[in-house]
């Protein structure tokens, strides 16, 4: 049975002074109203926990505001994927899922996921492959060339997924967790460990306080935690990487999707990291766009301290419309194909692929801790930009200002002292003595 919970603040009674403060800070105190539903409307046997050894997990989160409604679909069907739709506000229960068509024995049928309202913009993200490679040269570079002696691909479509058990708790936190401990192809690697994807939808602007890298988020963002925990690696020098696919309804001919890196002098929130990577779907048009955002850092222990940090390497974007020989059949069993249909298979969408890999030379490989967690934002609109905080501005001002003040007042003091000395008058000290100024 689908479990649903409405979570949000009722009303936004603000004093005039608070309104001015909000305008000054560029944020909104009127939070989105979030509704989280698991397997909405599913009454077929495939929705039962562990049907055929794997759970059918789809979570629908509706995020309503006065200006628009964002519809998020998170799914482990086929491969883990996220579908984001933007509609006008007040669209009600606009998302409809034909479950029998979605899990058809032959292939997921186009139209199995639909929206009854006009969709103003849409984009999707899929996680298609987990790479494991033998980094004997310890270069932490996943490019499959002479530096990598061996490597395997763990296909996400071969994983068996656990059922989402604690629906009420997760719904209250607006959190969706997909967890797997078994792979049909390489079962020994995941027998005692797990791979998980945790999605947290936000209805306000803030920053994760309890765990690095403290990414900035807003009410248009879902935060992803991708975790590898106690997986049995195939090699002593194993490292892992992830293939990610981003697609949107933008025209593929314009090649709008691109990477860009923002730099900052401030590492207050993520010590030692001064960059953030933005993968944006609509480079040409700023009106509507989706994005993935992350800092080039992941952590090798749950504590996520600075000493637990290692590097996230990003590789060149591959444009699907420029490489039609590169087949992605695994997407044809996902909610992305269920929604986009032939547009996806005929490359009528803007689609790009890239890889990220985890690890830094001389960090001990995955076996040093048997744990890796990577955090990224998936959102609609422009990626949030870190700004220098008032605390850092104060520290910089004090650091630069005090020496200037000391020099300035010191110079004034010396000048005043010299002026007084130059205007000293002679004093008659009597016969037999000469003035010291003579």
């Amino acid at each position: 049975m689908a479990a649903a919970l409405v979570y949000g603040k009722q009303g936004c009674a603000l004093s005039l002074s608070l309104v001015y403060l909000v305008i000054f800070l560029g944020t909104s105190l009127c939070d989105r109203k979030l509704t989280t539903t698991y397997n909405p409307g599913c009454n077929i046997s495939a929705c039962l926990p562990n049907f055929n050894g794997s759970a059918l997990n789809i979570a629908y989160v509706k995020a309503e505001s006065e200006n628009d409604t964002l519809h998020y679909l998170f799914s482990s069907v086929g491969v883990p994927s996220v579908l984001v739709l933007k509609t006008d506000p007040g669209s009600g229960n606009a998302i409809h899922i034909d479950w029998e068509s979605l899990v058809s024995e032959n292939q997921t049928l186009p139209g199995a996921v639909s929206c009854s309202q006009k969709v103003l913009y849409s984009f999707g993200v899929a996680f298609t492959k987990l790479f494991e490679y033998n980094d004997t040269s310890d270069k932490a570079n996943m490019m499959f060339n002479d530096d990598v002696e061996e490597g395997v691909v763990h296909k996400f479509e071969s994983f068996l997924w656990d059922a989402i058990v604690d629906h009420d708790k997760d719904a209250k936190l607006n959190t969706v967790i997909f967890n797997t401990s078994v792979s049909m192809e390489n079962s020994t690697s995941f027998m005692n460990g797990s791979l998980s994807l945790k999605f947290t939808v936000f209805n306000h602007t803030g920053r994760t306080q309890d765990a690095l890298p403290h990414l900035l988020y807003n009410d248009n963002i879902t935060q992803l935690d991708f975790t590898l925990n106690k997986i049995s690696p195939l090699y002593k020098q194993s490292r892992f990487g992830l293939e990610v696919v981003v697609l949107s309804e933008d025209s593929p001919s314009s090649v709008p999707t691109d990477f860009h890196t923002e730099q900052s002098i401030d590492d207050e929130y993520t010590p030692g990291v001064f960059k953030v990577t933005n993968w944006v779907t609509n480079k040409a048009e700023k009106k509507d766009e989706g994005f993935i955002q992350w800092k080039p850092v992941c952590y090798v222990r749950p504590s996520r301290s600075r000493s637990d940090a290692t590097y996230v390497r990003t590789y060149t974007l591959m444009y699907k419309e420029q490489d039609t020989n590169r087949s992605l059949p695994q997407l044809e069993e996902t909610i992305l194909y269920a929604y986009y249909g032939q547009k996806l298979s005929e490359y009528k969408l803007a689609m790009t692929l890239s890889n990220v890999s985890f690890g830094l030379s001389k960090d001990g490989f995955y076996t040093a801790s048997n744990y890796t967690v990577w955090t990224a934002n998936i959102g609609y609109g422009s990626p949030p930009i870190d700004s220098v905080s008032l605390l850092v501005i104060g520290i910089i001002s004090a650091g630069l200002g005090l020496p200037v003040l000391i020099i300035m007042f010191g110079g004034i003091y010396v000048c005043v002292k010299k002026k007084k000395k130059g205007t000293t008058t002679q004093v008659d000290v009597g016969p037999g003595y000469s003035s010291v100024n003579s």
Side-chain angles (χ1 to χ4, degrees), residues 340-360:
Y340 289 111
Q342 297 301 316
K343 288 184 178 181
L344 191 155
S345 58
E346 296 176 1
Y347 312 119
K348 294 181 178 180
L349 303 170
M351 185 187 304
T352 49
L353 302 84
S354 187
N355 299 326
V356 294
S357 65
F358 314 114
L360 184 67

Side-chain angles (χ1 to χ4, degrees), residues 83-161:
L83 175 64
V84 183
L85 309 177
K86 177 192 174 184
T87 65
D88 285 324
S91 53
N93 296 321
I95 301 298
H96 302 281
I97 301 175
D98 183 340
W99 290 94
E100 292 186 355
S101 297
L102 183 68
V103 296
S104 174
E105 292 184 2
N106 296 324
Q107 181 183 332
T108 297
L109 300 179
V113 173
S114 61
C115 183
S116 60
Q117 301 293 324
K118 180 181 179 181
V119 176
L120 304 177
Y121 189 72
S122 67
F123 71 97
V125 180
F127 304 92
T128 48
K129 296 176 183 177
L130 177 69
F131 300 103
E132 181 178 357
Y133 66 100
N134 190 15
D135 189 15
T136 55
S137 61
D138 196 16
K139 292 186 178 180
N141 191 324
M142 197 178 65
M143 298 303 293
F144 290 98
N145 50 35
D146 294 338
D147 293 334
V148 178
E149 291 188 356
E150 300 175 274
V152 297
V153 177
H154 302 280
K155 297 179 181 179
F156 275 103
E157 61 266 33
S158 68
F159 284 104
L160 303 180
W161 298 93

Side-chain angles (χ1 to χ4, degrees), residues 410-424:
I412 294 173
Y413 175 78
V414 171
C415 292
V416 171
K417 199 72 173 170
K418 284 186 176 181
K419 185 175 181 180
K420 286 184 177 180
K421 186 176 182 180
T423 57
T424 303

Side-chain angles (χ1 to χ4, degrees), residues 103-350:
V103 296
S104 174
E105 292 184 2
N106 296 324
Q107 181 183 332
T108 297
L109 300 179
V113 173
S114 61
C115 183
S116 60
Q117 301 293 324
K118 180 181 179 181
V119 176
L120 304 177
Y121 189 72
S122 67
F123 71 97
V125 180
F127 304 92
T128 48
K129 296 176 183 177
L130 177 69
F131 300 103
E132 181 178 357
Y133 66 100
N134 190 15
D135 189 15
T136 55
S137 61
D138 196 16
K139 292 186 178 180
N141 191 324
M142 197 178 65
M143 298 303 293
F144 290 98
N145 50 35
D146 294 338
D147 293 334
V148 178
E149 291 188 356
E150 300 175 274
V152 297
V153 177
H154 302 280
K155 297 179 181 179
F156 275 103
E157 61 266 33
S158 68
F159 284 104
L160 303 180
W161 298 93
D162 295 335
I164 300 174
V165 178
D166 202 344
H167 293 79
D168 293 337
K169 178 183 176 182
D170 290 340
K172 184 177 294 186
L173 298 174
N174 303 302
T175 298
V176 179
I177 302 175
F178 300 143
N179 187 76
T180 180
S181 57
V182 178
S183 170
M184 291 183 288
E185 288 190 350
N186 296 288
S187 59
T188 57
S189 297
F190 298 87
M191 189 64 67
N192 298 317
S194 64
L195 178 153
S196 68
L197 297 97
K198 176 183 176 182
F199 301 95
T200 303
V201 183
F202 296 105
N203 65 346
H204 60 281
T205 297
R207 192 182 296 274
T208 49
Q209 300 296 330
D210 56 342
L212 288 169
H214 301 311
L215 286 179
L216 178 66
Y217 58 77
N218 57 39
D219 61 355
N220 294 333
I221 281 178
T222 295
Q223 195 161 99
L224 162 70
D225 286 319
F226 174 82
T227 305
L228 300 173
N229 185 23
K230 297 181 180 179
I231 291 174
S232 299
L234 298 178
Y235 318 106
K236 291 182 179 179
Q237 296 89 8
S238 276
R239 295 191 188 278
F240 288 90
L242 187 63
E243 182 181 75
V244 185
V245 179
V246 174
L247 53 87
S248 67
E249 63 182 37
D250 304 296
S251 172
S253 59
S254 62
V255 193
T257 309
D258 200 8
F259 278 143
H260 64 270
T261 300
E262 302 286 345
Q263 296 187 352
S264 173
I265 63 171
D266 183 14
D267 70 339
E268 174 187 0
Y269 301 108
T270 313
V273 180
F274 298 89
K275 295 181 180 180
V276 61
T277 300
N278 297 311
W279 183 356
V280 182
T281 64
N282 200 346
K283 180 183 177 183
E285 299 290 337
K286 292 298 182 182
K287 182 179 179 182
D288 288 303
E289 60 186 9
F291 64 86
I292 305 181
Q293 180 186 68
W294 66 89
K295 292 189 176 183
V297 63
C298 60
Y299 300 89
V300 297
R301 289 178 180 83
S303 57
R304 298 199 193 192
S305 66
R306 182 177 181 180
S307 61
D308 299 327
T310 190
Y311 188 60
V312 173
R313 184 184 297 274
T314 305
Y315 300 84
T316 305
L317 278 179
M318 295 169 283
Y319 292 93
K320 189 69 182 86
E321 57 273 11
Q322 297 176 356
D323 184 13
T324 55
N325 292 323
R326 182 180 174 86
S327 178
L328 291 174
Q330 60 269 41
L331 292 184
E332 296 182 0
E333 297 180 1
T334 67
I335 58 170
L336 301 180
Y337 183 79
Y339 177 73
Y340 289 111
Q342 297 301 316
K343 288 184 178 181
L344 191 155
S345 58
E346 296 176 1
Y347 312 119
K348 294 181 178 180
L349 303 170

